[in-house]
Amino acid sequence: MSVNFKCLYCDRYLSSRNAYSQHVKYCNELKELNISTEESNNDISDTVSSINEMSLDSDDFSQIEELQSIREENLPPVSEISYQYKSDSNYAGDVSLHSEEFENFDEILSESLQNYTEKSDTNMSNTLEEFEPKSLTLQDNIEESEVEIKEFPNEAYADLMTLVTKHNLNNKAGNSIIKFFNRHSDLSQSPLPKNIETGRKFMDKMNISQLSYSKHCILVHNNREYFINYRPIKNCIEILLSNSEILQHFIFKYENKKHQGEKSYAEQNSGNWWKYAEASILSSACILSLILYSDATTTDTLGKSSLHSIYISFGNIPTWRRNKEDAKQLLGYFPILFAKNEKEKTSPEFKKLVRETFHKSLKFLLDPLFENENGIDYKINNRIIWFFPKISTIIGDWPEACTYSLTYKSTSSNFPCHFCLVQKNDLIDTMQDQIILRNHKNMMEYFNNNTSHSVSLELVENYFWNIPNLNIYAATVPDRMHHLDLDLYHYQIEFTKGILGRSSIDKMNERIGAIPRYPGLKIFSKGLQSIARLTASEHRDLMKVMVFVVDGLLSNYLSEVYVKWNEMYILSRLEIFKESDLEKFQKAINEWADLFVILFRKKSDSKMKFPKFHSWIFHIVDTIREYRAINGYTTETYESLHKSYIRRKAIIKRRVTEELHKTPTALIYTSKLFEFKLLEASIFFEQQKKNPDLTENMIKGFAKFLECLDLFFDINIAIAMDDAELFEYQSDNGTCYAQTLLITEVILPNKSPFHLALVQWYDFKSKKTPFVYSCPLLKLVEIYNFIEIEAIEEIVHIVPRFDTKDEYFVNKFIF
């Protein structure tokens, strides 16, 4: 089907009036140039006609004009399509999005391949300028070609896009690389794309059979078809099993079961769910544990398109392996319905249709796995292995959990928790033994009796009620990134600001900006300018330093709540939990929660009655008992995975023939600041006193250099002498702390070089209370030594105690 507007001069079809008007104007100008030869005219026509060529079916373009009018009527402003932190009186998962507000996937898919329509409408003149004959290169012709593309046009092009994809560079950074290369290379024709956007489009056109998608119409509503864009789930499983590392773990577990027996195999997987699932199948078969992930807020790294994606991974492999990108497969995208107007969008009928469509889509996608009650065979290393596929967990933020469990999304509903039947007013004022858990049996009874509303349950049949070995209300597990990093910790900081005065908030921001640098730790040099924009990683960086930031700003309770948070959070990161670990973890949760309520309850409009707080206190430990460590269900690596990104990652991976492993390297100095002979050291140090570029540590180091060097060689000569006898020092479990003043290489005749660090030692500030906030509290002492660099165990983060003199914390919260 053709698009709407046909050019009068070149028979080109345009997708919008704006693009059409500018294109016609341009074509008219070309015609008036009186280009001399027919061949030139044909070249220009071909060039211009290639502008709007894309690799999708032409059917996908038929609704672009309709999409533009719908956008104007229905799309929320940009601020509503991003994470929003509202006051908890209207708490709705805090980072949720309403699925009915997003676009249909047909149009989204068109735009996810670099938003051509937007480019035409907003920057058509620049686009046309790029396609003028005088600026065309060989790569321009390749990129706009409709010929099937299987490889990059050249190695330089491939290397550039590998670099951009591997390091997830944005367009601006990539374009700077192109500009730098073109400026300094002596080439008449650049081997690189015009810009990174063009390179990404080129990669999107590359033919990779395993990433091809099918379409299935799942609904017709308001005379509009809605499609699932998907890959068959069995194909996705085969792709995962073709990964040699994943395959290795499957074989290992299968062999363990064969040789060690059923009991040890179940224990190895530890969670109760595994034990029940293993007991439900024959001993000669294996469990294929499937983990689903869904997110309506996943965005394309190239643009702002919002997609509702579904991913799959395996529970059969270790957590560390599962959390790698290649251990996940994108199944496809579910349709997101459009209402014809505001009245329909807020109607119960439309809300029900949205829920029904989602579960109907799940049924279409997952049913092929369960159509055979006798399991499914997969060929691995020329051997047929009998699997029973079982859905173990579903990962997502709170709104997604409600979508799967079909409980009310609103946190103001009477029973807002998808785990249990605790009323809203009792969310934090209940007892563990009073909680009634939701399950398929009791929820189906409410549904069949037409009383679903009385327990905040949608009047829609849940697809998962028919799936064996699954309790959908428990299997929608809390995601730590959204649950803790972006939510509860965010509230803790906001509430902290709420109980501090203006001057204390200013001091808090000054302290945040003054935190010493440390490898991998982001420093907020201007304080917390806009906490609503912080990423999960940035929230975690704050966790590592806020204990020291709030020290002395208010009461001891304020510092202690941050200490308790960190202790709880570090425990949540354990890979394996014994029962004693779970008891310790629950105790840590309760201690943090009690302090949190005492400090901040008056600042909470809902008096702390929000579901994520409740579920963390009352359900997370049981969830771990059932489904293993919380590290096993984190969304972090899913967040960056979307169709275009996965596609490009797969293209880049094909270019890598072997993996490079890190090997130990010799000690190499990055630069040499000074060089002098030992016999002339005194003269050199005297001369350097006038050097304005010396740091305070350098000055101190030069003053102690010769004295400490003599001592170092004396100590190394007296081999029987114990270093600990040099001076009395209270250690932290055998670890001593020092500040490095200088790093030097000492070269003596007929000896190997000495790689030494001149250090000034710390000691504990008080022998009576050596630890504050579970961190060593130190002071600098006037003791200096050279030590061999190899003796340094690790670099630590030393944080000066604010508003005090000569007091330093060793940051024990670097995780």
Side-chain angles (χ1 to χ4, degrees):
M1 184 182 295
S2 63
V3 288
N4 297 338
F5 305 102
K6 182 179 179 182
C7 177
L8 299 173
Y9 302 104
C10 67
D11 294 329
R12 183 77 192 100
Y13 287 93
L14 284 304
S15 62
S16 70
R17 289 185 180 90
N18 186 27
Y20 169 77
S21 62
Q22 295 195 49
H23 176 83
V24 169
K25 180 181 177 181
Y26 176 76
C27 273
N28 186 45
E29 291 174 356
L30 285 181
K31 186 176 182 181
E32 292 175 358
L33 289 176
N34 296 319
I35 300 175
S36 57
T37 64
E38 180 178 351
E39 180 180 358
S40 298
N41 279 319
N42 289 338
D43 289 343
I44 293 171
S45 177
D46 290 341
T47 301
V48 174
S49 67
S50 70
I51 294 175
N52 285 327
E53 295 290 320
M54 293 190 72
S55 60
L56 299 178
D57 296 336
S58 57
D59 290 346
D60 291 321
F61 290 92
S62 63
Q63 300 174 12
I64 289 180
E65 187 66 13
E66 179 187 356
L67 169 63
Q68 292 169 340
S69 62
I70 290 174
R71 277 182 182 152
E72 296 172 359
E73 296 174 5
N74 288 346
L75 262 187
V78 174
S79 62
E80 292 179 28
I81 312 183
S82 59
Y83 287 147
Q84 292 295 303
Y85 294 95
K86 306 173 184 177
S87 65
D88 66 347
S89 59
N90 296 316
Y91 185 98
D94 301 311
V95 290
S96 63
L97 293 166
H98 299 289
S99 61
E100 55 265 34
E101 292 181 350
F102 292 106
E103 302 165 335
N104 179 22
F105 179 75
D106 280 334
E107 288 81 13
I108 290 174
L109 186 57
S110 301
E111 295 196 355
S112 73
L113 300 179
Q114 278 307 281
N115 294 322
Y116 174 76
T117 304
E118 178 183 346
K119 180 178 178 182
S120 296
D121 291 345
T122 61
N123 201 18
M124 187 66 183
S125 61
N126 291 339
T127 304
L128 290 168
E129 184 179 334
E130 289 177 2
F131 281 88
E132 289 185 46
K134 62 182 180 181
S135 64
L136 284 176
T137 67
L138 173 64
Q139 303 316 323
D140 296 323
N141 292 321
I142 293 174
E143 286 146 10
E144 297 300 325
S145 171
E146 293 299 315
V147 178
E148 183 180 274
I149 301 170
K150 292 185 177 181
E151 297 294 340
F152 288 102
N154 57 65
E155 279 300 306
Y157 197 123
D159 288 343
L160 171 68
M161 298 313 299
T162 298
L163 179 72
V164 168
T165 304
K166 181 179 179 181
H167 297 287
N168 200 21
L169 301 182
N170 59 27
N171 288 352
K172 185 176 180 181
N175 290 339
S176 296
I177 296 173
I178 294 174
K179 191 175 294 185
F180 177 86
F181 177 88
N182 291 340
R183 181 180 300 161
H184 296 284
S185 65
D186 189 21
L187 298 174
S188 58
Q189 179 173 287
S190 174
L192 304 182
K194 295 184 300 293
N195 51 51
I196 292 301
E197 183 179 359
T198 303
R200 296 190 203 271
K201 289 172 68 176
F202 179 86
M203 292 177 71
D204 289 335
K205 288 184 178 183
M206 291 179 72
N207 179 32
I208 300 181
S209 58
Q210 71 177 30
L211 292 177
S212 59
Y213 280 73
S214 302
K215 289 172 62 174
H216 172 76
C217 182
I218 201 72
L219 175 71
V220 177
H221 178 63
N222 291 336
N223 296 319
R224 183 173 186 165
E225 293 181 321
Y226 289 90
F227 294 89
I228 300 177
N229 289 262
Y230 71 99
R231 288 183 291 156
I233 190 168
K234 291 183 179 179
N235 292 4
C236 291
I237 291 173
E238 288 175 354
I239 292 170
L240 286 174
L241 290 175
S242 68
N243 184 307
S244 60
E245 289 191 36
I246 294 176
L247 185 61
Q248 176 185 354
H249 288 288
F250 266 90
I251 294 173
F252 174 77
K253 289 181 178 290
Y254 180 78
E255 295 295 337
N256 265 357
K257 180 174 180 181
K258 182 177 179 181
H259 292 108
Q260 297 178 10
E262 188 82 19
K263 186 172 183 243
S264 60
Y265 182 69
E267 285 175 349
Q268 186 177 10
N269 290 285
S270 69
N272 290 335
W273 179 88
W274 272 96
K275 298 173 185 177
Y276 303 146
E278 287 282 303
S280 70
I281 65 173
L282 296 175
S283 59
S284 55
C286 288
I287 291 292
L288 184 62
S289 168
L290 303 178
I291 297 173
L292 300 180
Y293 166 72
S294 171
D295 186 9
T297 66
T298 300
T299 58
D300 192 318
T301 56
L302 310 178
K304 300 293 184 183
S305 299
S306 296
L307 309 171
H308 201 142
S309 51
I310 307 293
Y311 298 86
I312 188 173
S313 187
F314 292 145
N316 300 67
I317 57 180
T319 299
W320 66 267
R321 192 64 192 79
R322 184 163 63 251
N323 283 338
K324 292 181 179 291
E325 289 177 357
D326 65 343
K328 303 166 176 62
Q329 280 288 303
L330 177 60
L331 291 178
Y333 297 101
F334 283 3
I336 300 174
L337 308 190
F338 263 107
K340 60 184 178 182
N341 52 43
E342 189 65 27
K343 182 179 179 181
E344 184 186 48
K345 187 167 72 172
T346 58
S347 67
E349 293 78 15
F350 185 76
K351 179 181 176 182
K352 182 179 180 181
L353 181 63
V354 169
R355 308 292 182 267
E356 287 176 339
T357 303
F358 186 87
H359 279 254
K360 189 176 179 181
S361 301
L362 284 170
K363 177 176 173 62
F364 174 81
L365 205 60
L366 300 179
D367 261 1
L369 277 183
F370 304 109
E371 58 192 5
N372 188 345
E373 295 181 355
N374 295 321
I376 188 170
D377 292 338
Y378 279 106
K379 190 174 183 179
I380 298 177
N381 284 349
N382 297 318
R383 194 170 47 160
I384 300 299
I385 297 182
W386 183 18
F387 285 111
F388 277 83
K390 306 279 185 181
I391 297 174
S392 55
T393 53
I394 297 170
I395 305 173
D397 194 15
W398 196 270
E400 280 70 46
C402 294
T403 299
Y404 279 95
S405 61
L406 286 173
T407 54
Y408 289 178
K409 288 185 177 182
S410 172
T411 57
S412 62
S413 60
N414 290 333
F415 296 88
C417 180
H418 66 81
F419 284 99
C420 70
L421 293 174
V422 170
Q423 290 189 325
K424 179 185 178 183
N425 290 335
D426 299 326
L427 281 175
I428 64 168
D429 297 320
T430 189
M431 301 293 290
Q432 192 80 42
D433 56 4
Q434 296 174 342
I435 292 177
I436 299 173
L437 297 175
R438 295 180 188 261
N439 56 50
H440 291 188
K441 182 179 179 181
N442 59 20
M443 292 300 101
M444 287 178 69
E445 287 179 3
Y446 285 106
F447 177 81
N448 293 331
N449 293 334
N450 203 29
T451 57
S452 299
H453 64 279
S454 65
V455 289
S456 302
L457 186 70
E458 301 284 1
L459 194 59
V460 175
E461 186 169 356
N462 196 309
Y463 167 72
F464 294 102
W465 285 346
N466 301 313
I467 302 299
N469 302 115
L470 177 71
N471 177 4
I472 189 59
Y473 307 101
T476 45
V477 294
D479 155 40
R480 187 178 62 214
M481 186 186 79
H482 288 104
H483 216 87
L484 295 186
D485 304 352
L486 292 171
D487 201 276
L488 294 181
Y489 196 72
H490 173 89
Y491 268 92
Q492 183 161 302
I493 294 176
E494 287 286 22
F495 290 153
T496 297
K497 292 166 65 177
I499 65 175
L500 293 175
R502 182 69 258 172
S503 62
S504 293
I505 293 176
D506 291 342
K507 183 175 282 190
M508 182 182 79
N509 282 320
E510 289 173 7
R511 289 180 173 188
I512 290 173
I515 291 292
R517 297 185 179 277
Y518 183 79
L521 179 67
K522 177 170 180 175
I523 303 300
F524 301 85
S525 58
K526 297 182 180 179
L528 296 181
Q529 299 294 315
S530 178
I531 189 172
R533 297 178 178 274
L534 296 184
T535 65
S537 176
E538 288 169 335
H539 276 91
R540 286 193 296 273
D541 283 337
L542 282 176
M543 292 178 201
K544 299 167 187 176
V545 301
M546 282 299 291
V547 173
F548 315 113
V549 169
V550 301
D551 174 44
L553 284 183
L554 199 65
S555 66
N556 289 337
Y557 277 159
L558 184 58
S559 297
E560 197 63 24
V561 77
Y562 282 92
V563 172
K564 294 298 183 186
W565 171 279
N566 283 358
E567 291 174 350
M568 173 188 73
Y569 193 86
I570 289 171
L571 282 172
S572 78
R573 295 168 62 86
L574 289 179
E575 296 286 342
I576 299 174
F577 283 88
K578 302 189 291 289
E579 186 59 33
S580 59
D581 295 324
L582 289 174
E583 292 171 2
K584 184 179 179 182
F585 185 34
Q586 184 68 67
K587 183 174 181 289
I589 291 172
N590 294 342
E591 289 177 351
W592 165 77
D594 290 344
L595 267 179
F596 186 82
V597 172
I598 291 170
L599 273 171
F600 304 127
R601 189 165 192 158
K602 291 182 180 179
K603 291 297 175 182
S604 167
D605 294 336
S606 71
K607 306 305 178 189
M608 301 295 176
K609 294 171 183 175
F610 41 90
K612 286 186 178 179
F613 189 46
H614 159 85
S615 71
W616 185 252
I617 298 170
F618 293 102
H619 298 301
I620 186 61
V621 170
D622 285 339
T623 300
I624 295 171
R625 283 194 180 98
E626 194 73 10
Y627 301 108
R628 300 182 290 177
I630 192 171
N631 279 354
Y633 33 90
T634 176
T635 62
E636 290 184 66
T637 50
Y638 290 96
E639 291 290 333
S640 63
L641 296 177
H642 48 81
K643 179 180 180 249
S644 297
Y645 188 62
I646 287 180
R647 181 184 193 87
R648 295 173 194 133
K649 279 283 189 179
I651 293 169
I652 296 306
K653 191 172 181 180
R654 292 193 309 165
R655 302 187 67 241
V656 180
T657 56
E658 62 180 7
E659 191 173 328
L660 297 177
H661 300 281
K662 290 185 178 180
T663 56
T665 56
L667 183 62
I668 299 174
Y669 299 103
T670 56
S671 63
K672 183 190 294 183
L673 299 181
F674 307 105
E675 182 175 358
F676 56 90
K677 296 179 180 180
L678 284 176
L679 292 176
E680 301 171 358
S682 297
I683 299 173
F684 173 79
F685 295 150
E686 190 65 29
Q687 292 172 343
Q688 289 300 315
K689 287 181 180 180
K690 301 176 183 179
N691 186 344
D693 296 327
L694 289 186
T695 66
E696 183 180 342
N697 282 353
M698 286 180 179
I699 295 171
K700 194 185 296 184
F702 286 157
K704 297 290 182 179
F705 191 94
L706 291 177
E707 175 188 341
C708 293
L709 192 62
D710 288 340
L711 186 60
F712 172 79
F713 287 116
D714 285 344
I715 291 173
N716 278 273
I717 291 170
I719 298 174
M721 187 176 187
D722 187 351
D723 289 351
E725 297 175 8
L726 180 61
F727 54 85
E728 293 184 3
Y729 188 91
Q730 184 178 359
S731 69
D732 175 14
N733 293 321
T735 299
C736 303
Y737 300 104
Q739 180 187 69
T740 303
L741 305 179
L742 294 172
I743 293 178
T744 183
E745 181 182 38
V746 178
I747 302 175
L748 298 176
N750 303 319
K751 290 183 179 290
S752 298
F754 291 91
H755 300 284
L756 307 176
L758 178 57
V759 301
Q760 181 179 6
W761 294 97
Y762 291 99
D763 199 357
F764 282 93
K765 182 71 177 179
S766 168
K767 295 186 183 297
K768 191 181 238 182
T769 56
F771 293 86
V772 176
Y773 309 138
S774 303
C775 297
L777 183 63
L778 308 177
K779 63 181 179 181
L780 276 169
V781 294
E782 291 297 317
I783 301 176
Y784 303 85
N785 286 109
F786 269 111
I787 62 172
E788 295 186 42
I789 290 177
E790 289 80 2
I792 298 174
E793 185 176 335
E794 62 177 335
I795 298 172
V796 295
H797 190 213
I798 300 289
V799 181
R801 191 171 195 178
F802 293 104
D803 299 337
T804 63
K805 186 177 180 180
D806 195 25
E807 291 188 22
Y808 305 88
F809 289 107
V810 178
N811 188 350
K812 291 285 192 175
F813 301 121
I814 298 294
F815 48 81

